[in-house]
Amino acid sequence: MENDTIYVTMFKMFTVRFGDIMINGDDMKSDRLLRLFAYLLYNHERIIPSSELVDMLWCFEEVDNPIGALKNLVYRLIVLLKKTFSISDLITTGKGSYSINKDYHIEVDALNFEKECQKEMNTIEEYEEFSCLYTGKYLVEVEDDHNVITKRTYYDSVYIERIMEYANLLEEQGEYAKMEHVVKRALEINQLEEELYELLIRSLYYQKQYKQAAEMYRKTTELLYKSLGVKPSESMQDLFELIKKQSHSEDADIIEIQKDLAAETPEGAFLCEYGTFREIYNMHSRLMGRLGICAHMCLVSVVNRKPKDDEADQKYVEKIMEKMQSAMLSGLRIGDVLSRLSVNQFIVLLPSCNYENSSMVMNRVLRKIRYSLNHTRFDLEVTIEEVETKG
Amino acid sequence: MDKYIRSMSFNMIHLCIDDYENYKIKGRAYNNTRQEVICFNDIDDIFIQFDRIFDDNGQPQASQSSRSFTHPKPLGRYQFRPETYNDYDEFLNEVGKKATLDLVIKSRKRSTWQGIIIYNGQEIAFDSILEMLNYVISFIES
């Protein structure tokens, strides 16, 4: 009967709706209560032995009387359901087991999603329907449950895979605006998936929105550095090269090109992403042999002498990196080149600078920051190497 | 050799070796940023004198500064094309009694020289002064 249908969402936010009344994770007031209720609803089609529930709830903990504790928890759940929905027969107690009363029809978004995951998809309509089923990560309220984390990872990876297939299909069919929309929606759920960003940048590129594409590439690069400590993949860098080439209109004359190139007023060192740094480095290697100049490359690393591997350390490293960037941009010369290499490293190119001068320059620029790190666990390491000549 | 004379003759040394005894190499050296002939009684002289010449010319730039117990002479500013007083081709008429060769110094990294030796039409790359010296001695002894 429709009146006996309970609608459950486990994606984005855990909610249970019966009739006009809805409760969510906050109303459960207990992480363990939420996990129990979610587990029962997810497995509403079978009878669950108490031992299974005990394992799920107290996996890594020592409990004196687990069956008693479980009984107590179930009792609390029944009281909550009675108070909220005025129903007391949703949970059925069996011999050493619990289950959801089969008189109630349970609709769980995660289960519907899982069914769709098994199906083969070929058309845009099928993919569109599928993509609307996944509104957010699975049971985000639960942090430490191995079972939940496994399912969350699984659903996420299937969703990403299908979205990428969907986006590639849209790309094949030339539906670039839709491709942009689909990928943006996926990125609201998954902000750290590099392949999605690559698809988004590609969709912008195909729509000839080169400035937005370039801007998105820069934002992505920064996000990847800050959150994951990685630089963009080769395919992302290649895509950026394409965007840069396309940014110019055809048959531009030399005056226009000069105006465009002179548009930026240089101040301090030149900051760029790693792909560009590599090209500049290669260009310098070639020039050095021809012009008889020397150049040095410096790797500046923030080193943690006693790493604790926690969020506070990461945030502190990021703060130091920001200060270093600012100091180097203002303290180095206009012809010097700077690039962020990883979460805790910068790479610097100093043309026409011998070893002693390079050392002096970097020490001067970083002196204040080094001084500020004196009584902390952090330090700066500077390694200087000569740029090898080519040709 | 023509391509080097055209593009970087100011970094070339025309070496005329007149005497070689007990590993002591004596002779004359010519460079078109200097009007005078550079005579040397041992090969070390060449390296010291030409290091100074290259420092004055500002190229090729050395990757490391020279160290000194006294105040070192300040380095000349980098010059893309240092002033030259002669055509390099004029030096090619000068011949050493034991051997004649030309050096093209392309860079001065790791406190040593890198470049090309041109001897009897052959071009041989070298990565250090020691390597270059080995070649020079082998040319003299052959």
Side-chain angles (χ1 to χ4, degrees), chain A residues 47-305:
Chain A
I47 296 166
I48 309 165
S50 302
S51 55
E52 187 179 323
L53 290 169
V54 163
D55 278 341
M56 184 270 296
L57 290 166
W58 291 284
C59 181
F60 297 113
E61 292 170 56
E62 296 268 342
V63 185
D64 282 339
N65 179 10
I67 300 296
L70 176 63
K71 219 172 175 178
N72 185 34
L73 205 59
V74 170
Y75 174 74
R76 280 170 58 196
L77 181 57
I78 291 169
V79 164
L80 175 71
L81 291 172
K82 193 170 180 186
K83 191 176 154 189
T84 315
F85 299 125
S86 306
I87 53 173
S88 51
D89 60 347
L90 180 59
I91 316 277
T92 310
T93 310
K95 214 173 177 181
S97 66
Y98 296 94
S99 61
I100 296 286
N101 188 339
K102 291 209 187 310
D103 290 341
Y104 290 90
H105 178 67
I106 314 288
E107 282 279 342
V108 182
D109 61 350
L111 291 174
N112 292 337
F113 180 78
E114 193 154 344
K115 264 189 219 143
E116 293 301 310
C117 286
Q118 313 303 325
K119 291 183 187 169
E120 216 178 280
M121 285 169 210
N122 295 306
T123 67
I124 288 178
E125 292 73 29
E126 283 168 344
Y127 277 114
E128 183 59 33
E129 210 180 300
F130 174 83
S131 70
C132 293
L133 293 173
Y134 190 78
T135 52
K137 295 204 192 255
Y138 177 74
L139 287 182
V140 289
E141 298 88 348
V142 176
E143 284 177 1
D144 295 331
D145 191 313
H146 167 76
N147 177 48
V148 167
I149 291 169
T150 310
K151 279 204 181 72
R152 188 183 298 149
T153 311
Y154 166 69
Y155 290 141
D156 212 44
S157 65
V158 170
Y159 173 71
I160 298 290
E161 201 183 307
R162 290 297 170 99
I163 286 295
M164 291 206 276
E165 283 170 17
Y166 185 15
N168 286 323
L169 180 62
L170 290 168
E171 186 181 341
E172 270 170 39
Q173 298 193 5
E175 303 256 18
Y176 305 125
K178 185 134 182 77
M179 181 183 169
E180 181 192 340
H181 173 74
V182 162
V183 175
K184 272 185 173 163
R185 202 170 57 197
L187 280 168
E188 281 168 20
I189 304 169
N190 271 286
Q191 290 90 11
L192 296 178
E193 196 62 47
E194 187 184 346
E195 290 193 54
L196 287 178
Y197 283 105
E198 194 176 329
L199 286 165
L200 175 61
I201 293 168
R202 239 179 21 231
S203 71
L204 292 168
Y205 169 78
Y206 286 130
Q207 292 174 85
K208 296 187 173 25
Q209 294 175 29
Y210 303 123
K211 261 193 175 160
Q212 288 92 317
E215 187 50 37
M216 181 51 63
Y217 175 84
R218 273 185 269 277
K219 280 187 180 158
T220 307
T221 308
E222 207 179 304
L223 178 71
L224 291 174
Y225 279 145
K226 282 193 168 155
S227 312
L228 301 172
V230 298
K231 55 183 192 289
S233 62
E234 293 254 356
S235 56
M236 268 274 261
Q237 290 180 49
D238 291 343
L239 179 57
F240 186 52
E241 291 310 310
L242 276 178
I243 293 165
K244 280 195 299 192
K245 276 182 203 158
Q246 289 293 338
S247 296
H248 304 113
S249 55
E250 288 169 14
D251 299 327
D253 76 0
I254 194 153
I255 306 294
E256 276 173 41
I257 295 168
Q258 197 167 43
K259 274 188 193 161
D260 179 57
L261 290 171
E264 229 178 271
T265 320
E267 279 178 28
F270 178 66
L271 176 68
C272 59
E273 50 81 41
Y274 183 69
T276 307
F277 181 93
R278 210 169 51 189
E279 284 179 27
I280 295 173
Y281 177 93
N282 285 331
M283 189 186 72
H284 270 283
S285 291
R286 289 161 172 248
L287 279 176
M288 275 163 60
R290 205 165 72 80
L291 302 178
I293 57 173
C294 66
H296 280 78
M297 196 165 69
C298 308
L299 180 66
V300 187
S301 312
V302 178
V303 170
N304 188 344
R305 301 272 175 232

Side-chain angles (χ1 to χ4, degrees), chain A residues 298-305 324 344-346 362-363 366 370 373 378-384:
Chain A
C298 308
L299 180 66
V300 187
S301 312
V302 178
V303 170
N304 188 344
R305 301 272 175 232
M324 268 169 47
N344 68 325
Q345 291 177 313
F346 278 106
M362 294 311 295
N363 283 333
L366 300 172
R370 249 204 190 112
L373 297 175
F378 295 89
D379 199 3
L380 298 183
E381 271 181 9
V382 180
T383 321
I384 301 174

Side-chain angles (χ1 to χ4, degrees), chain A residues 288-296 351-357 386-389 391, chain B residues 8 11 58-67 75 78-80 106-110:
Chain A
M288 275 163 60
R290 205 165 72 80
L291 302 178
I293 57 173
C294 66
H296 280 78
S352 272
C353 207
N354 68 14
Y355 179 84
E356 285 80 4
N357 286 342
E386 210 163 338
V387 174
E388 288 297 324
T389 334
Chain B
M8 52 188 345
N11 287 346
Q59 86 141 287
Q61 284 185 329
S63 332
Q64 270 106 14
S65 303
S66 299
R67 296 176 193 190
L75 296 172
Y78 171 78
Q79 295 178 79
F80 175 51
K106 286 185 160 187
S107 57
R108 292 192 290 157
K109 296 188 291 184
R110 304 187 304 277

Side-chain angles (χ1 to χ4, degrees), chain B:
Chain B
M1 180 148 79
D2 285 342
K3 65 180 181 199
Y4 299 117
I5 293 173
R6 272 199 307 273
S7 59
M8 52 188 345
S9 62
F10 37 83
N11 287 346
M12 290 178 72
I13 304 169
H14 184 70
L15 211 58
C16 300
I17 297 165
D18 297 320
D19 193 21
Y20 175 64
E21 202 179 319
N22 294 328
Y23 296 101
K24 248 177 134 59
I25 303 173
K26 290 183 192 178
R28 295 155 287 133
Y30 300 85
N31 174 272
N32 60 2
T33 65
R34 290 292 181 274
Q35 288 175 308
E36 69 279 9
V37 177
I38 295 141
C39 296
F40 55 95
N41 287 319
D42 200 352
I43 200 76
D44 307 353
D45 266 348
I46 286 291
F47 305 134
I48 293 167
Q49 291 196 59
F50 272 95
D51 249 354
R52 285 196 194 123
I53 289 169
F54 295 141
D55 284 346
D56 280 344
N57 290 346
Q59 86 141 287
Q61 284 185 329
S63 332
Q64 270 106 14
S65 303
S66 299
R67 296 176 193 190
S68 171
F69 288 110
T70 58
H71 292 295
K73 199 177 164 196
L75 296 172
R77 292 185 80 87
Y78 171 78
Q79 295 178 79
F80 175 51
R81 295 198 92 83
E83 192 184 356
T84 56
Y85 297 98
N86 307 89
D87 278 335
Y88 193 86
D89 291 318
E90 291 170 21
F91 300 142
L92 299 179
N93 297 326
E94 301 293 335
V95 172
K97 288 173 188 161
K98 291 281 182 188
T100 311
L101 50 103
D102 294 274
L103 302 173
V104 183
I105 311 305
K106 286 185 160 187
S107 57
R108 292 192 290 157
K109 296 188 291 184
R110 304 187 304 277
S111 301
T112 187
W113 292 359
Q114 296 81 36
I116 311 272
I117 303 172
I118 305 169
Y119 178 70
N120 279 349
Q122 267 188 316
E123 288 183 14
I124 304 162
F126 63 89
D127 202 44
S128 68
I129 284 173
L130 194 59
E131 197 181 336
M132 185 258 279
L133 203 49
N134 280 337
Y135 282 120
V136 169
I137 291 171
S138 71
F139 298 151
I140 296 170
E141 288 178 349
S142 62

